[in-house]
């Protein structure tokens, strides 16, 4: 204790920056000296020094405030039960939160880090976030005041982004902290989903067979109730301000719009949030932006109101619609069928760009649209929207026959996602068959016969993913097992050398054996094939035939 007080006194009396930095170093060293050193910050003797360091006075050096906030965060992480309550009661946390408007980026980031720690600790943060006593509800009052103040057109945009970070943390309480800390330069707490996992979101174009049967992390009922409680308390005026800021930035600031969409997208997991966003006119705003990208004239030119330079925000809007839609049938209904039936309008825009993909802007939107169609179709309500328009289905499936690598990968993965519906398979299988049958008989399978053996890894993997997804359905499995040479390819353990390809082959065989034994009963030949597949599964993914081992040994000895 005496050593720490001595360092603080020396800090107050430091005459130059070198002395000041030395004192800060000594303070950090004392507080991290052992596992219980943080308790010194809880003493009455140290309290005055903390309040001076966090006063926001121009006389307080940046490093002093920064070290203080970081040490407080360290203490909270070590013992949240005691520290959060103590620092709140003596007014320290309120002083820290006020530092979010600091001119120093390092200080404001330290504030965000500290409140990330607090907001994520649902067990002990209720006195701060859910305190309904007017005199002590400082966090709620301060947050809403900052939201209103810095959302104004002539306000400091940098500080506005910092407040967006805190707001996104409050509205998205079950996000992973690692994702929050690494997501993007603005620190907005919304994760970018990089692989097609259930639930699937737009990101990387590969599907890993190891996650096909995995489930998303569920949260307890108590945690869900807590999340909704916090959400309801902080949603306004935050959501209204977000929508307003998005609309004000149209045509001016794509970065602001994209970050706002990320926050809103995550918030839409709450039905009440999506309803608030719909009521605010946000979906209509998104439609009006996308509508400007099409041209109703017959000359086939791309829409003239928006340039291709705006394709990033356009792609973000499209992926937003898909990712929100796939959350549930209820949300698909709210988004596309209620309040103006925007679904049909968005489908018309998607169809336009698929049919005009030779134009620069349409070409830049094509991949996102193809991926989005698969995600929207994962729910039966979204699938109903897609199959209502036969010409749209044809525009979509024509890309399955493309020779372009990126188009093959994206379209195959898109349909694979749709085939693995969120709903019971028997409820959607016939509807999915309608999409498959929009192509001439046997044409897709003929194309895949070439693509599953492609030397290009991405094409091979996307072909596997589509074949496996087809095998989920009896009609799809029937088509797959009739592909010329495919059974022999599956049974041959020596034609693929990579771990991923072997896993995909095993996964396809497993799906056929577990779900479609009835397809292999028509003759002794087909029954024998079924037994061969059973034997393949029993031996495992990476079984090496004896003759192959002998060959390898002979080559090694030679």
């Amino acid at each position: 204790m005496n050593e720490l007080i001595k360092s603080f006194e020396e800090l107050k009396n430091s005459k130059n920056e070198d002395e000041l930095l030395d004192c800060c170093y000594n303070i950090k060293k004392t507080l991290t000296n052992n596992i219980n050193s943080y308790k010194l910050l809880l003493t009455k003797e140290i309290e005055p020094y903390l309040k001076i360091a966090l006063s926001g006075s121009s006389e307080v050096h940046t490093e002093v405030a920064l070290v203080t906030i970081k040490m407080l965060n360290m203490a909270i992480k070590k013992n949240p039960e005691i520290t959060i309550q103590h620092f709140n009661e003596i007014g320290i946390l309120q002083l820290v939160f006020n530092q979010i408007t600091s001119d120093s980026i390092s200080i404001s980031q330290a504030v965000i880090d500290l409140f990330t720690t607090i907001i994520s600790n649902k067990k002990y943060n209720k006195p701060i976030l859910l305190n309904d006593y007017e005199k002590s509800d400082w966090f709620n009052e301060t947050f809403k005041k900052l939201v209103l103040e810095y959302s104004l057109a002539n306000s400091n945009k940098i500080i506005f982004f910092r407040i967006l970070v805190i707001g996104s943390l409050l509205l998205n309480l079950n996000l992973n902290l690692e994702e929050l800390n690494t997501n993007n330069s603005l620190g907005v707490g919304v994760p970018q989903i990089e692989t097609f996992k259930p639930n699937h979101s737009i990101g990387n174009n590969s599907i890993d067979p190891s996650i096909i049967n995995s489930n998303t992390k569920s949260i307890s009922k108590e945690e869900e109730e807590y999340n909704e409680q916090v959400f309801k308390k902080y949603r306004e005026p935050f959501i209204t301000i977000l929508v307003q800021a998005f609309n004000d930035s149209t045509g001016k600031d794509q970065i602001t719009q994209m970050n706002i969409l990320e926050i809103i997208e995550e918030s839409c997991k709450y039905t009440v949030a999506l309803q608030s966003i719909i009521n605010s006119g946000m979906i209509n705003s998104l439609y009006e932006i996308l509508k400007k990208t099409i041209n109703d004239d017959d000359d086939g030119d791309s829409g003239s109101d928006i340039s291709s330079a705006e394709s990033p925000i356009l792609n973000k809007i499209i992926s937003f619609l898909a990712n929100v839609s796939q959350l549930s049938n209820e949300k698909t209904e709210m988004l596309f069928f209620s309040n103006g039936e925007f679904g049909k309008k968005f489908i018309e825009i998607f169809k336009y760009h698929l049919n005009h993909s030779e134009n620069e802007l349409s070409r830049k939107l094509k991949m996102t649209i193809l991926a989005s169609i698969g995600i929207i179709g994962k729910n039966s309500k979204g699938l109903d929207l897609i199959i209502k328009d036969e010409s749209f289905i044809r525009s979509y499936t024509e890309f399955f026959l493309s020779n372009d690598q990126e188009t093959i990968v994206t379209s195959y993965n898109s349909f694979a996602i749709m085939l693995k519906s969120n709903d019971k398979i028997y409820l959607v299988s016939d509807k999915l068959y309608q999409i498959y049958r929009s192509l001439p008989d046997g044409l897709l399978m003929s194309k895949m016969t070439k693509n599953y053996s492609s030397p290009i890894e991405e094409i091979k993997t996307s072909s596997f993913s589509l074949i496996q997804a087809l095998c989920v359905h009896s009609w799809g499995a029937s088509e797959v097992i009739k592909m010329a040479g495919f059974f022999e390819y599956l049974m041959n353990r020596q034609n693929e050398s990579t771990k991923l390809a072997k896993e995909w082959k095993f996964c396809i065989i497993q799906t056929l054996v577990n779900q479609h034994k009835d397809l292999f009963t028509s003759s002794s030949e087909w029954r024998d094939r079924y037994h061969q597949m059973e034997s393949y599964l029993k031996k495992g993914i990476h079984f090496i035939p004896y003759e192959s081992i002998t060959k390898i040994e002979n080559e090694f000895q030679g």
Side-chain angles (χ1 to χ4, degrees):
M1 171 65 77
N2 292 334
E3 186 179 343
L4 184 60
I5 291 176
K6 179 184 176 183
S7 296
F8 273 119
E9 285 297 327
E10 289 176 352
L11 183 62
K12 284 172 62 178
N13 299 318
S14 58
K15 297 176 182 178
N16 56 56
E17 188 162 346
D18 288 339
E19 289 183 7
L20 183 145
L21 293 175
D22 285 342
C23 291
C24 287
Y25 173 78
N26 290 333
I27 291 170
K28 283 194 289 186
K29 184 178 178 181
T30 303
L31 290 171
T32 56
N33 191 37
N34 64 62
I35 195 168
N36 290 314
S37 295
Y38 74 91
K39 292 181 180 179
L40 294 172
L41 292 171
L42 302 172
T43 60
K44 287 185 177 180
E45 292 85 352
I46 299 301
E47 182 181 328
Y49 296 107
L50 295 178
K51 289 183 175 180
I52 292 172
L54 298 169
S55 65
S57 169
S58 58
E59 296 179 4
V60 177
H61 194 280
T62 299
E63 186 66 19
V64 175
L66 181 61
V67 168
T68 303
I69 296 170
K70 286 185 174 181
M71 291 301 99
L72 290 170
N73 195 7
M74 174 204 69
I76 291 170
K77 287 179 178 179
K78 286 191 173 182
N79 193 337
E81 181 178 6
I82 295 173
T83 55
I84 290 178
Q85 181 179 350
H86 176 76
F87 293 143
N88 185 43
E89 288 177 352
I90 65 174
I92 291 295
L93 294 181
Q94 190 168 357
L95 291 174
V96 172
F97 193 59
N98 290 336
Q99 296 281 331
I100 199 168
T101 61
S102 170
D103 292 335
S104 166
I105 294 175
S106 57
I107 288 178
S108 64
Q109 186 57 53
V111 173
I112 290 170
D113 292 342
L114 185 145
F115 276 89
T116 297
T117 302
I118 292 174
I119 292 170
S120 66
N121 194 307
K122 303 171 187 181
K123 189 173 182 180
Y124 300 115
N125 67 18
K126 291 181 182 178
I128 300 170
L129 301 191
L130 295 176
N131 195 328
D132 292 327
Y133 294 102
E134 187 176 339
K135 291 183 179 179
S136 56
D137 198 16
W138 66 267
F139 181 79
N140 179 40
E141 293 172 359
T142 307
F143 171 71
K144 291 184 176 180
K145 177 185 174 184
L146 290 172
V147 169
L148 292 170
E149 180 180 350
Y150 287 97
S151 63
L152 300 175
N154 58 350
S155 64
N156 188 315
K157 187 61 69 73
I158 294 174
I159 296 176
F160 179 61
F161 275 125
R162 296 173 190 170
I163 298 163
L164 287 188
V165 174
I166 299 298
S168 67
L169 289 169
L170 290 167
L171 268 59
N172 306 292
L173 296 178
N174 63 346
L175 297 183
N176 185 293
L177 274 180
E178 292 180 7
E179 292 171 334
L180 295 178
N181 292 332
T182 60
N183 183 49
N184 55 48
S185 59
L186 292 172
V188 176
V190 182
Q192 296 287 336
I193 303 175
E194 295 299 335
T195 53
F196 282 139
K197 298 180 182 180
N199 291 333
H200 298 292
S201 293
I202 297 171
N204 196 310
N205 285 328
S206 64
I207 301 180
D208 183 346
S210 66
I211 56 86
I212 281 174
N213 295 316
S214 67
N215 295 314
T216 50
K217 182 182 176 183
S218 60
I219 61 175
S220 67
K221 185 174 180 60
E222 182 182 359
E223 187 177 359
E224 185 178 354
E225 288 175 355
Y226 172 84
N227 288 351
E228 291 197 10
Q229 204 176 349
V230 173
F231 178 83
K232 287 177 181 177
K233 181 169 182 175
Y234 291 94
R235 64 181 174 179
E236 293 299 345
F238 188 65
I239 288 182
T240 300
I241 294 297
L242 280 180
V243 173
Q244 179 185 321
F246 179 90
N247 291 334
D248 290 345
S249 301
T250 300
K252 304 172 188 174
D253 189 346
Q254 288 192 59
I255 293 176
T256 297
Q257 287 189 302
M258 291 172 74
N259 280 279
I260 288 173
L261 272 182
E262 285 187 0
I263 297 170
I264 290 177
E265 180 180 318
E266 278 299 315
S267 303
C268 285
K269 63 180 173 236
Y270 303 107
T271 301
V272 67
L274 179 55
Q275 191 59 61
S276 296
I277 289 160
I278 291 171
N279 292 343
S280 73
M282 179 73 172
I283 307 305
N284 185 64
S285 296
L286 299 182
Y287 168 68
E288 290 298 330
I289 293 172
L290 290 179
K291 185 181 177 183
K292 293 178 181 177
T293 66
I294 68 174
N295 189 343
D296 294 329
D297 297 336
D298 295 329
D299 56 12
D301 292 334
S302 179
S304 57
D305 291 341
I306 291 186
S307 70
S308 60
E310 295 185 55
S311 60
I313 184 58
L314 299 174
N315 278 311
K316 188 67 184 176
I317 291 171
I318 295 166
S319 64
F320 166 84
L321 295 169
N323 291 337
V324 173
S325 170
Q326 61 111 28
L327 291 172
S328 69
N329 276 309
E330 179 191 17
K331 291 181 172 62
T332 304
E333 179 87 26
M334 293 170 66
L335 191 65
F336 291 140
F337 294 98
S338 304
N339 195 21
E341 294 202 2
F342 282 106
K344 183 179 180 181
K345 298 175 183 177
F346 285 124
I347 289 295
E348 285 297 324
I349 293 171
F350 293 172
K351 181 167 65 173
Y352 174 90
H353 288 295
L354 292 181
N355 291 339
H356 294 84
S357 58
E358 72 281 358
N359 295 328
E360 184 178 4
L361 178 58
S362 296
R363 186 169 61 251
K364 290 185 176 182
L365 303 182
K366 180 181 76 174
M367 296 305 169
T368 304
I369 291 173
L370 286 174
S372 295
I373 294 168
I375 294 172
I376 291 170
K378 261 187 77 67
N379 287 325
S380 60
K381 287 288 184 182
L383 183 58
D384 288 342
L385 177 66
I386 290 168
I387 64 175
K388 275 184 179 180
D389 188 335
E390 291 185 7
S391 63
F392 176 63
I393 295 174
R394 287 193 296 271
S395 297
Y396 169 58
T397 56
E398 281 175 4
F399 287 97
F400 297 176
L401 309 178
S402 172
N403 292 317
D404 174 70
Q405 177 180 333
E406 187 180 7
T407 304
I408 292 171
V409 171
T410 304
S411 61
Y412 279 21
N413 281 333
S414 172
F415 193 35
I417 287 167
M418 192 188 301
L419 287 164
K420 305 197 76 175
S421 176
N422 289 334
D423 295 282
K424 299 289 186 183
I425 294 299
Y426 71 87
L427 294 175
V428 297
S429 194
D430 288 345
K431 296 175 183 178
L432 290 163
Y433 187 54
Q434 282 183 241
I435 296 176
Y436 175 78
R437 290 293 297 164
S438 68
L439 289 170
D441 191 33
L443 203 54
L444 176 57
M445 289 304 173
S446 174
K447 189 77 175 176
M448 278 203 295
T449 300
K450 172 185 174 184
N451 288 336
Y452 73 71
S453 57
S454 170
I456 301 171
E457 195 67 26
E458 290 81 3
I459 292 179
K460 180 190 291 287
T461 302
S462 62
S463 299
F464 283 146
S465 74
L466 181 51
I467 290 170
Q468 194 276 333
L470 284 165
C471 287
V472 171
H473 304 266
S474 58
W475 56 264
S478 179
E479 294 287 317
V480 167
I481 63 177
K482 287 189 277 186
M483 274 198 294
F486 186 63
F487 177 78
E488 291 73 18
Y489 167 81
L490 282 179
M491 294 297 101
N492 186 345
R493 289 185 179 268
Q494 300 176 50
N495 55 15
E496 294 294 349
S497 59
T498 67
K499 178 177 179 289
L500 185 59
K502 290 178 180 180
E503 288 176 348
W504 267 120
K505 287 176 63 179
F506 189 88
C507 190
I508 291 167
I509 295 169
Q510 192 174 51
T511 306
L512 289 170
V513 169
N514 291 346
Q515 299 185 33
H516 301 294
K517 184 177 181 179
D518 57 307
L519 295 177
F520 295 88
T521 59
S522 59
S523 67
S524 58
E525 180 186 353
W526 281 104
R527 286 191 291 273
D528 180 60
R529 288 189 173 192
Y530 184 82
H531 294 315
Q532 287 184 55
M533 291 192 295
E534 282 187 312
S535 175
Y536 190 107
L537 295 180
K538 288 177 182 177
K539 291 175 181 177
I541 298 173
H542 302 292
F543 173 78
I544 301 175
Y546 176 76
E547 58 269 21
S548 297
I549 297 175
T550 305
K551 182 180 178 183
I552 292 170
E553 288 178 346
N554 291 337
E555 288 178 352
F556 179 75
Q557 291 171 0

